[in-house]
Amino acid sequence: MKPVLHSGSSSNGFSHRRVEKETGMNNAQPSADTTENGWEAGSVDTLSHKLLVYFTTCNIGHQVEVHLKNGSVYSGIFHAADVEKDFGIILKMACLMRDSQGTKSRLPLVSKPPSKILIIPADELVQVIAKDLPVSSNNVSDSVQCEKPLELLTDSLISQFYNVDLERELKPWVPDEDGPDCSDLENVFDDPWKRGWNQFEVNKTLFGVTSTFDEELYTTKLERGPGTRELEEQALRIAREIVGENTRDLHVAEERGLQLSGKFDIDEETKYSSVCTANRFDDTGYEDEEEDILLDCCNNLTFGDSSASDGKKPASTGKVYEETWGDSLHLRNINIVDQSWSNSNKHTHQLMSEQPSKDFPVAGNKIRNESQLGEQRKSKFLGASLYSKPSEESVSGLEDAPPSEKPSFTAGRLGLLSDRAKSESSSGWPGSSLSRNSENSAASSASNRPILSPSSSIGSLSSEKSTLNPNAKEFKLNPNAKSFKPSSPSAKSPQSPVPDGSFYYPPVPPMPGLRIRFGMGAAFPGQQHPMMYNNTTQLSPNQTYYSPNSPQYPQQMMVTQQRPVLFMPPTPYQPEMPYKGRDSY
Amino acid sequence: MKPASATVAKHDGGGEDEKFAVGNIYAVKLITGDEFNGIVLAYDSGPNFAIFEEGTKPKPLDSKTLRMVNAKYITEMKNLGNVKDPLAKKTLVNLDGLIDKENQAIRNVEKIGFGVTAEAQRIFDAISKTLPIRWDNKNMLVMGEVIVRSPYHSDCVFGGTRAVNDRVKTVLEQVRKKLQLSDT
């Protein structure tokens, strides 16, 4: 097929393009009898003609410079060429760059706007220069001017932001001299206890909202009794130990203000980004074999241990504890260690990783999940196992206390940790007791500290843990566990009721025919709320309408326009979660 | 492996074809006085036009300077050697892409006002990022309705509905502020 490119302006713009396309495609397709670079061999005319057409096509859309016989030079966008006949060309938006007299200007002559279409007959045409022309269209698909297709496209480029060079000199910020002095804001990160700010009070003052927040709903309940102070002291001491202990984790060290590895050239990204890839196992003084054992334990737990010797598996579990639990649960580890030492010292020569071995099956199962602590605090297990060593040491402080008194010790201690009691701990609890253990002397003193360390040191390993929950405990019925009973409304009435005024009644727009069903908002314990019953009558939200027929449910109905109100069976069941806030249902 | 030039040489044809064998390097002189060195990429005896790649060594495929030369006006050609396979590999032409390229180029040229100040041009460019705008001689025509006359301040905005007019005014003010131009 012959490509026909008409140079006349009246030509159908599409026809030659279509033809050109076909020719172009032909060039691209492999055909028989090709040269080594794929061009079709054949008669001279065919091959060279096609080459000519191909390259001419590449020029389309490109800014070209056209030299004419009379010496004038035009610059414009190449539009078409008559490759069939004599190669006349068409330019669009052409400007005269240099006229025949030779006067030259780098920029288009300003006297004339660019011609929309410029037709140049072949006879006048000497040459057409296309600079930096992409001959292959593989990467000419960006919408930006195709100056350099492979150039990195920045946003400024794309948006053609011409003010890129208007750079300001950056100066560090200094506060205004006469600006407001909000010194109160500067101690934002101070201990919130010290600041004297009670958000609940403020809310009550400003908005009249009384909080029903009860921390015991969210964490284990603290048993406050005679031994509270000692518990607090213990907790604080342990907390300090944890915080002060050595760590290999870069981030933890940063938090604690420790200088980890003496490498001062760690860049900010490594320091402060969340993923620490390379820094886990640097040699900051830990024995390698410890690590191996740690890893082994990890693997054992994950993949099961074929050689389930009695020391191995529990040890691995214990280790995994250390890995996967946060600092607050570190205590549990101490529990385990404690018990093991109390019971047997056969393995004292081994690394501390295996010390939890003995008792672990006994103790570990009891304290797997924090969530189960709540159940277990009434049980004696913890207390019993925790204090199974009394025969050997004379422990001070709470160890002296009979186990029965401390059923919830562990839980309590955990709770205390969060309380941040300030009292000093009187006696070292596991540490000192262990050190007193003559049998454990060798291992204990050596590993008193290190017991704490690996747990935190492999905190960074936690990301390697398997998806299996190593803490998951097989279910064992615990008859002493406190069963969950939703409290009845009457039982809850002593709680501070949310005053009526705080409810948010969304305005009920008059919507004829709107049937609104009964709903129950989240529990308003112990209240007999006005019931809103809107069936056919339109009520303002504050009125109540007691239908003589329907029962008076102790529930609050929230009417919204957007969402359907759920119908819940009107039972005395009230979820324990107190209603917070004023969300409309 | 057949060299490309060998293929071409196979054909019948005048000396022109042999002269313009693909891959030959020449120092070309034209009647306009222009001179350059180039590698022959294509030649067709019909229109008698040759396409050279400027330079004596082939450049990467995405950036060649091509010269399409009317062979009639070549005064002198000095052979500088030849190159095998100036087109290293088979390439494709994406015609649609080229059409887009052309339209884009035309649009870009149209964006340049004729006979307007540089400041006016900057304002135009800034507004064109958010609103459709084009030149109408020395006026800016925004959204086909609103005319902004010289000197392109907020009080030079005419036309269009009230809402559109206000919008254009606001945009204009912001643009001026951002460009740190004088504010009147």
Side-chain angles (χ1 to χ4, degrees):
Chain A
M1 63 197 63
K2 291 168 136 194
V4 179
L5 300 172
H6 297 292
S7 56
S9 55
S10 60
S11 67
N12 180 0
F14 274 102
S15 62
H16 63 263
R17 287 204 183 117
R18 213 178 335 118
V19 173
E20 258 185 307
K21 178 173 186 168
E22 288 160 354
T23 316
M25 300 296 274
N26 280 343
N27 277 345
Q29 287 161 11
S31 49
D33 203 16
T34 56
T35 62
E36 69 179 75
N37 47 12
W39 295 109
E40 201 178 271
S43 70
V44 171
D45 285 328
T46 313
L47 174 59
S48 45
H49 185 71
K50 283 185 176 168
L51 281 173
L52 190 77
V53 172
Y54 178 83
F55 286 114
T56 309
T57 311
C58 290
N59 278 298
I60 291 179
H62 204 78
Q63 188 82 16
V64 296
E65 205 179 273
V66 177
H67 295 234
L68 298 190
K69 193 167 70 172
N70 59 11
S72 50
V73 178
Y74 281 92
S75 174
I77 302 169
F78 190 88
H79 175 70
D82 184 1
V83 288
E84 196 51 29
K85 285 164 61 185
D86 58 355
F87 217 84
I89 64 169
I90 300 180
L91 294 185
K92 284 205 175 166
M93 310 302 280
C95 313
L96 186 64
M97 302 286 283
R98 192 201 316 184
D99 65 10
S100 44
Q101 273 69 40
T103 39
K104 187 167 70 168
S105 68
R106 264 182 309 124
L107 303 170
L109 298 179
V110 193
S111 57
K112 264 178 64 177
S115 341
K116 290 250 160 67
I117 293 188
L118 182 68
I119 304 169
I120 301 175
D123 231 21
E124 310 283 322
L125 178 60
V126 174
Q127 64 171 339
V128 178
I129 305 178
K131 295 205 168 104
D132 294 329
L133 183 72
V135 166
S136 156
S137 295
N138 290 335
N139 35 18
V140 180
S141 48
D142 51 3
S143 54
V144 188
Q145 303 163 11
C146 311
E147 303 154 348
K148 283 185 196 173
L150 296 182
E151 180 181 306
L152 200 61
L153 292 179
T154 60
D155 280 343
S156 312
L157 252 180
I158 294 176
S159 69
Q160 289 160 21
F161 182 57
Y162 294 110
N163 287 350
V164 192
D165 47 357
L166 289 180
E167 283 195 13
R168 300 172 295 150
E169 186 195 313
L170 299 177
K171 295 178 220 138
W173 178 79
V174 288
D176 283 342
E177 303 239 317
D178 50 351
D181 179 26
C182 303
S183 57
D184 281 342
L185 297 176
E186 284 176 20
N187 46 10
V188 155
F189 296 115
D190 285 355
D191 185 0
W193 272 256
K194 287 186 203 150
R195 270 195 293 144
W197 176 263
N198 185 346
Q199 184 67 50
F200 294 134
E201 288 297 324
V202 171
N203 282 352
K204 186 162 183 176
T205 315
L206 288 182
F207 310 113
V209 188
T210 310
S211 163
T212 58
F213 174 75
D214 175 20
E215 79 163 11
E216 292 179 3
L217 291 166
Y218 302 101
T219 184
T220 17
K221 190 163 172 197
L222 296 180
E223 296 287 340
R224 298 182 198 269
T228 300
R229 179 154 187 84
E230 280 152 358
L231 291 179
E232 288 179 2
E233 290 166 4
Q234 297 295 342
L236 201 70
R237 187 189 52 77
I238 292 165
R240 262 206 309 283
E241 258 176 45
I242 297 171
V243 170
E245 72 198 8
N246 246 342
T247 175
R248 297 180 61 172
D249 187 322
L250 200 60
H251 302 136
V252 180
E254 172 93 17
E255 242 177 63
R256 296 182 185 169
L258 303 175
Q259 189 99 63
L260 186 51
S261 58
K263 293 184 203 160
F264 291 94
D265 55 349
I266 303 179
D267 62 349
E268 275 185 343
E269 183 180 349
T270 317
K271 269 207 276 184
Y272 300 118
S273 92
S274 55
V275 176
C276 209
T277 49
N279 288 338
R280 285 202 206 130
F281 300 112
D282 59 351
D283 48 344
T284 51
Y286 279 92
E287 303 140 12
D288 284 337
E289 51 184 275
E290 254 182 59
E291 275 175 49
D292 292 336
I293 295 202
L294 293 184
L295 286 175
D296 284 341
C297 294
C298 233
N299 291 334
N300 284 337
L301 184 71
T302 310
F303 303 113
D305 194 11
S306 54
S307 67
S309 59
D310 81 327
K312 205 69 161 126
K313 196 143 191 204
S316 60
T317 321
K319 247 337 164 205
V320 173
Y321 270 14
E322 294 171 348
E323 283 174 39
T324 58
W325 290 7
D327 282 346
S328 64
L329 303 180
H330 171 72
L331 278 175
R332 221 155 291 163
N333 193 33
I334 301 179
N335 286 343
I336 302 163
V337 173
D338 207 8
Q339 292 138 28
S340 71
W341 289 11
S342 68
N343 283 329
S344 92
N345 303 302
K346 276 188 237 161
H347 303 279
T348 54
H349 68 282
Q350 294 165 356
L351 293 171
M352 71 295 260
S353 61
E354 302 204 3
Q355 268 152 3
S357 59
K358 276 308 150 192
D359 255 9
F360 198 85
V362 177
N365 284 340
K366 312 298 186 291
I367 39 181
R368 289 277 178 135
N369 285 321
E370 186 168 42
S371 60
Q372 296 172 358
L373 267 188
E375 295 176 38
Q376 289 161 1
R377 64 198 151 118
K378 296 279 155 69
S379 76
K380 310 292 188 195
F381 292 140
L382 273 180
S385 58
L386 187 61
Y387 299 102
S388 58
K389 55 179 163 43
S391 57
E392 289 170 343
E393 303 83 54
S394 61
V395 291
S396 63
L398 31 112
E399 286 77 27
D400 282 335
S404 57
E405 197 177 306
K406 302 280 183 282
S408 61
F409 170 71
T410 309
R413 198 173 40 217
L414 287 170
L416 279 171
L417 268 189
S418 60
D419 251 1
R420 307 184 59 171
K422 295 190 170 54
S423 54
E424 284 290 315
S425 60
S426 55
S427 64
W429 165 66
S432 56
S433 65
L434 293 167
S435 59
R436 277 180 239 147
N437 188 337
S438 56
E439 293 178 356
N440 287 343
S441 57
S444 64
S445 50
S447 50
N448 180 18
R449 213 76 181 126
I451 284 186
L452 305 178
S453 338
S455 67
S456 50
S457 73
I458 39 179
S460 56
L461 282 179
S462 58
S463 58
E464 284 182 11
K465 70 182 173 202
S466 68
T467 54
L468 302 174
N469 182 4
N471 303 338
K473 157 193 159 164
E474 48 194 314
F475 177 72
K476 286 194 176 104
L477 180 63
N478 180 0
N480 292 339
K482 172 182 164 194
S483 61
F484 174 76
K485 280 195 179 69
S487 47
S488 56
S490 55
K492 287 284 183 182
S493 45
Q495 285 189 6
S496 54
V498 184
D500 277 347
S502 70
F503 291 129
Y504 168 63
Y505 291 92
V508 181
M511 285 167 69
L514 174 70
R515 303 210 44 216
I516 300 175
R517 292 164 284 170
F518 282 108
M520 184 166 74
F524 300 103
Q527 298 217 23
Q528 300 289 327
H529 296 300
M531 181 188 69
M532 284 182 57
Y533 173 58
N534 188 347
N535 203 351
T536 50
T537 56
Q538 301 296 330
L539 296 174
S540 79
N542 285 322
Q543 293 174 12
T544 63
Y545 175 74
Y546 291 89
S547 158
N549 294 330
S550 52
Q552 305 286 332
Y553 297 125
Q555 57 192 340
Q556 169 69 21
M557 181 165 78
M558 302 297 254
V559 176
T560 67
Q561 197 179 344
Q562 289 92 6
R563 293 175 244 169
V565 181
L566 296 174
F567 175 70
M568 294 177 72
T571 62
Y573 173 78
Q574 301 265 359
E576 284 214 54
M577 177 81 70
Y579 179 69
K580 282 196 181 59
R582 319 178 216 167
D583 297 329
S584 57
Y585 243 54
Chain B
M1 300 248 292
K2 300 181 276 180
S5 51
T7 312
V8 176
K10 202 165 44 175
H11 307 298
D12 276 341
E16 295 294 310
D17 294 331
E18 280 176 8
K19 195 159 58 164
F20 288 108
V22 173
N24 287 351
I25 311 177
Y26 289 106
V28 182
K29 276 196 194 154
L30 304 172
I31 61 163
T32 55
D34 203 8
E35 298 178 21
F36 66 94
N37 298 337
I39 310 171
V40 177
L41 291 184
Y43 170 76
D44 197 357
S45 52
N48 199 19
F49 262 74
I51 299 187
F52 290 90
E53 177 191 343
E54 202 173 293
T56 51
K57 282 192 197 145
K59 289 220 176 61
L61 279 184
D62 57 353
S63 171
K64 293 183 194 283
T65 298
L66 292 195
R67 289 188 185 236
M68 299 190 284
V69 180
N70 191 341
K72 198 161 64 171
Y73 298 125
I74 296 179
T75 56
E76 196 182 309
M77 282 214 318
K78 195 160 50 162
N79 194 319
L80 300 177
N82 62 2
V83 161
K84 288 206 184 100
D85 296 336
L87 301 163
K89 57 186 178 183
K90 210 169 57 172
T91 52
L92 298 173
V93 167
N94 176 9
L95 194 63
D96 294 327
L98 292 178
I99 294 173
D100 290 339
K101 178 177 161 185
E102 182 186 7
N103 293 333
Q104 179 71 19
I106 293 175
R107 262 181 261 136
N108 288 342
V109 173
E110 282 173 352
K111 281 190 191 161
I112 303 175
F114 181 74
V116 296
T117 60
E119 179 185 292
Q121 184 62 50
R122 282 165 69 195
I123 296 175
F124 180 95
D125 292 337
I127 297 180
S128 74
K129 286 187 214 165
T130 52
L131 294 175
I133 186 173
R134 60 181 175 84
W135 283 109
D136 175 25
N137 291 335
K138 298 219 172 100
N139 302 324
M140 304 185 196
L141 187 64
V142 186
M143 297 167 77
E145 300 176 11
V146 180
I147 295 189
V148 185
R149 298 189 206 278
S150 174
Y152 317 107
H153 290 301
S154 310
D155 50 357
C156 314
V157 181
F158 303 105
T161 62
R162 179 70 182 270
V164 177
N165 194 304
D166 287 342
R167 182 162 166 213
V168 173
K169 277 196 178 108
T170 322
V171 172
L172 181 60
E173 280 162 15
Q174 285 169 357
V175 157
R176 279 190 162 269
K177 237 182 256 176
K178 197 163 180 193
L179 295 176
Q180 296 154 12
L181 298 173
S182 60
D183 225 14
T184 30

